[in-house]
Amino acid sequence: MKISVVSKKLWCVHKQLLLCLAPLVFLPLLFTLPEKEGKCLYVVILMATFWCTEALPLAVTAMLPVCLFPTLGILPAKKVCPQYFIETNFLFLSGLVMASSIEEWGLHRRIALKVLSIVGVKPAWLILGMMITSSFLSMWLSNTATTAMMLPIANAILESLFGDLETLKQKCKSPEDHDSAAINGQTSLKLHSLPSEPSEKQTLSMDGMDAAEPADMRTAEEIRSESEYQLKVWKGFLICIPYAASIGGTATLTGTAPNLILIGQLKSYFPDCDLINFGSWFAFAFPLMLLFLFLGWIWISFLYGGLNTRLCFTKHDYRAQAEARAKALIKEDYRKLGPMNFAEGAISFFFILFAVLLFTRDPKFVTGWSVFFKKGYVSDAVTGVIIVSILFFFPSQKPSLSWWFDPQAVNTPYVPLLSWKKAQDSVPWNIILLLGGGFAMAKACEESGLASWIGGHLQPLAEVPPAVAVMLITAFLACFTEFASNTATIIIFLPVIAELAIRVSVNPLYFMIPATVGCSYAFMLPVSTPPNSIAFASGHLMVKDMVKTGFIMNILGILSVSLAMNTWGVAMFNLSSYPEWAHSSNTTAVIPNVHFSSMKTTNATL
């Protein structure tokens, strides 16, 4: 049998082979390391392998601690199982339920069209509008849902600006026309996969076809040159949406799973640390998001032809006519939404109340409303669950007192703002299991002594200045998460990073926060994140487009995080000193023969 045939057959069963061979390959760890640390490291590496290769579904791998930790004698089941639905998971669940109610009544679509009508229709301004809208929505919705909702709107606007994409590619005489056409034939379904946005692109496109096309008096060379420019702008539109969604998710604790992993592991490793909550995280991460979003907009607009003199001066030419059509299209579609109904108004009110209460519970820089309750009893999870519980009984139609006294009134069934069936269908339960698996792994690393053992072997890194270490940590995790789930990445590395901070006597938040944010900066490959995959599935982007754009985006992200940590981050979280809440963990984790001669130098550098 030929080698090529054998290799193809092996590839067909590579996941099954990996499931069988990986436990055998890592078996020496059980015999070469201290007993409990070796067993824990065996499970951690096994889970990391399954997560990175997806030999098992991510959620199934996340449940392995339930069977492996008790059977190997690492952690009893009564300590493992509660980790799968701790307080942090309830905060995440409340954010997902709120997001499903916003999608149910189409409030996100109204927000998107309103922002686009405000920023204008010149390519650079439209890219900015797309990025602002996507980032804002992804602060509350999932990054994937935001991308899937925004792409049909972007495609409809682009078609009104530049016409049909296939015609545009023919005018450019691009060599990949046929390949792109083959891909486009199967992507429209993906772009309309969200239940709340099934016909948006079709509606917008039909409206755009009503306008008569003006006679084109340009030469063939002018048409070709203009078409190449338009194709570049089209790519810029499509690539900015998933990038902005990933950036926006970092601004709130509920915006992306790694942020919640940070909170859960902080409570596990440093129970006395109460510096990070919804309000304090937002105060730190929102300015960082704005900075990175602005830098990203400059780069994408520069790379894809949006930055030019047309931003400042009005010209009456062929482009101006296309921009006028796009502007009319956006306004018409917004007009069709009609005035905001009672349900949209109610969802807006509860959404704002949800954000305000979470932000003001205990923002640290001012006294929050939590002082009216017993200290330590009311958390962000309590706040979130209270608000979203109201959605299940608050009416979606305006109550009328006259209805009770009018025998002729129609007896319509009572419809709340959100039904449990809708919430149940919208919540990604696999992510909740993934969070639980991460918390269980962190608990085992702590109690088995694995984190301390690893930290003892990271002592040489104490010689690296902390400011440089922040950049290295962010860069490493941003690169690693290009090939693995961002949630799995932070689950694997955050305990190690926390132990490293203890070993070098640096405030643990100084290393853990940039690591968490860096895990969301996956821009270079289509497989890096679901938003990247959705944009790539449109068939209009190539891998080289994402690599070229994403490489600089990663650098900009690393620099932005480093700037944030060493400026307002230091002031907000008092990162320049080693905190009292880390001392208790330090004293239990220290190995006697490890020396900390460089601690004073390290703190001086900070």
Side-chain angles (χ1 to χ4, degrees), residues 164-401:
D164 181 65
L165 180 63
E166 296 310 310
T167 305
L168 192 62
K169 288 181 177 180
Q170 289 174 7
K171 291 177 181 178
C172 293
K173 292 182 172 57
S174 176
E176 64 272 5
D177 284 346
H178 298 295
D179 294 336
S180 298
I183 298 173
N184 288 338
Q186 56 187 349
T187 55
S188 59
L189 187 62
K190 292 185 180 179
L191 290 177
H192 304 293
S193 57
L194 268 182
S196 57
E197 302 294 331
S199 60
E200 181 166 4
K201 184 175 183 296
Q202 296 160 346
T203 304
L204 287 168
S205 299
M206 286 189 294
D207 292 342
M209 291 168 61
D210 295 339
E213 289 290 331
D216 197 341
M217 306 300 293
R218 296 171 298 170
T219 65
E221 180 60 28
E222 289 174 336
I223 291 175
R224 189 190 66 79
S225 176
E226 181 69 10
S227 297
E228 288 178 351
Y229 165 77
Q230 291 172 354
L231 196 60
K232 283 178 61 179
V233 172
W234 199 304
K235 288 183 177 182
F237 266 67
L238 296 182
I239 211 166
C240 77
I241 292 172
Y243 288 2
S246 296
I247 295 169
T250 63
T252 60
L253 278 184
T254 56
T256 187
N259 297 354
L260 293 164
I261 293 288
L262 171 67
I263 292 297
Q265 295 203 8
L266 272 177
K267 290 179 178 177
S268 176
Y269 275 90
F270 310 106
D272 297 331
C273 176
D274 61 349
L275 290 175
I276 303 290
N277 56 40
F278 191 95
S280 61
W281 178 268
F282 184 84
F284 166 77
F286 185 70
L288 171 59
M289 183 205 79
L290 292 180
L291 171 64
F292 190 17
L293 203 67
F294 175 74
L295 295 176
W297 170 65
I298 294 292
W299 168 239
I300 292 172
S301 298
F302 168 77
L303 190 62
Y304 292 100
L307 290 181
N308 50 47
T309 56
R310 300 178 67 85
L311 284 176
C312 304
F313 302 100
T314 302
K315 295 184 179 181
H316 301 284
D317 56 7
Y318 188 82
R319 289 187 191 175
Q321 295 171 9
E323 289 167 1
R325 291 196 301 272
K327 187 174 184 179
L329 187 68
I330 295 171
K331 286 187 176 180
E332 175 63 16
D333 198 60
Y334 186 78
R335 186 191 64 79
K336 286 182 179 179
L337 293 177
M340 184 177 286
N341 58 36
F342 179 80
E344 286 181 288
I347 289 294
S348 301
F349 170 76
F350 286 118
F351 170 62
I352 294 171
L353 185 64
F354 177 80
V356 169
L357 288 180
L358 285 174
F359 183 77
T360 58
R361 182 187 66 84
D362 187 18
K364 301 303 177 185
F365 51 87
V366 293
T367 303
W369 56 263
S370 62
V371 297
F372 297 109
F373 300 90
K374 195 170 181 179
K375 186 176 181 180
Y377 274 57
V378 178
S379 66
D380 287 336
V382 176
T383 310
V385 172
I386 288 173
I387 297 299
V388 299
S389 297
I390 298 173
L391 302 178
F392 291 99
F393 66 82
F394 197 87
S396 59
Q397 302 292 330
K398 187 176 181 180
S400 173
L401 188 63

Side-chain angles (χ1 to χ4, degrees), residues 143 246 250 256-259 261 473-494 497 512-523 528-529 554 558 561:
N143 300 350
S246 296
T250 63
T256 187
N259 297 354
I261 293 288
I473 289 170
T474 310
F476 173 74
L477 292 183
C479 292
F480 192 90
T481 196
E482 299 286 352
F483 308 96
S485 157
N486 58 358
T487 308
T489 300
I490 199 66
I491 287 171
I492 295 166
F493 289 106
L494 204 54
I497 291 169
M512 297 174 77
I513 290 176
T516 303
V517 176
C519 275
S520 296
Y521 291 168
F523 304 117
S528 301
T529 62
N554 277 353
I558 293 166
V561 170

Side-chain angles (χ1 to χ4, degrees), residues 529-604:
T529 62
N532 288 8
S533 300
I534 293 173
F536 185 77
S538 67
H540 312 325
L541 292 172
M542 300 176 68
V543 174
K544 67 178 182 180
D545 296 323
M546 302 197 82
V547 172
K548 178 175 62 175
T549 313
F551 180 73
I552 301 299
M553 288 291 292
N554 277 353
I555 293 175
L556 293 175
I558 293 166
L559 295 176
S560 299
V561 170
S562 181
L563 176 65
M565 291 304 299
N566 290 289
T567 51
W568 66 86
V570 170
M572 285 186 60
F573 302 121
N574 194 23
L575 300 178
S576 58
S577 60
Y578 194 71
E580 287 293 328
W581 49 261
H583 279 298
S584 58
S585 178
N586 196 1
T587 54
T588 58
V590 167
I591 297 175
N593 63 351
V594 177
H595 301 285
F596 300 100
S597 57
S598 59
M599 289 181 186
K600 293 182 179 179
T601 307
T602 304
N603 283 330

